[in-house]
Amino acid sequence: MQKQIFKFLAKVNKTILPSYSKQQLDLAKANKLQMAIIGWRWFVTKNALD
C-alpha cells in the first residue's frame, strides 16, 4: 500500500516538479527551495524503489 503511494507521488513529481539534472544545476549554487525540491524527489524515488 505504501509503495503504491510513493509510486504515484513519483509520477506526480515527474510531471509537476522541475528536473534540475536536465538543467545542469550546480548544487553549490542552488537556493533553499531548489535543495528542498531535490531532497523531496530523492525521498520519494528512494521509497518508490524499495
Side-chain angles (χ1 to χ4, degrees), residues 12-29:
V12 171
N13 284 349
K14 188 172 183 178
T15 58
I16 294 177
L17 296 177
S19 175
Y20 293 122
S21 61
K22 289 181 182 177
Q23 298 175 6
Q24 297 180 348
L25 174 71
D26 185 12
L27 291 178
K29 296 180 181 178

Side-chain angles (χ1 to χ4, degrees), residues 2 4-7 13 16-17 23 34 41 43 48:
Q2 187 177 10
Q4 292 173 347
I5 293 170
F6 280 109
K7 284 189 176 191
N13 284 349
I16 294 177
L17 296 177
Q23 298 175 6
Q34 291 170 329
R41 288 187 69 152
F43 175 73

Side-chain angles (χ1 to χ4, degrees), residues 31-44:
N31 62 28
K32 289 184 181 184
L33 178 62
Q34 291 170 329
M35 292 299 284
I37 291 172
I38 291 167
W40 171 252
R41 288 187 69 152
W42 171 81
F43 175 73
V44 170

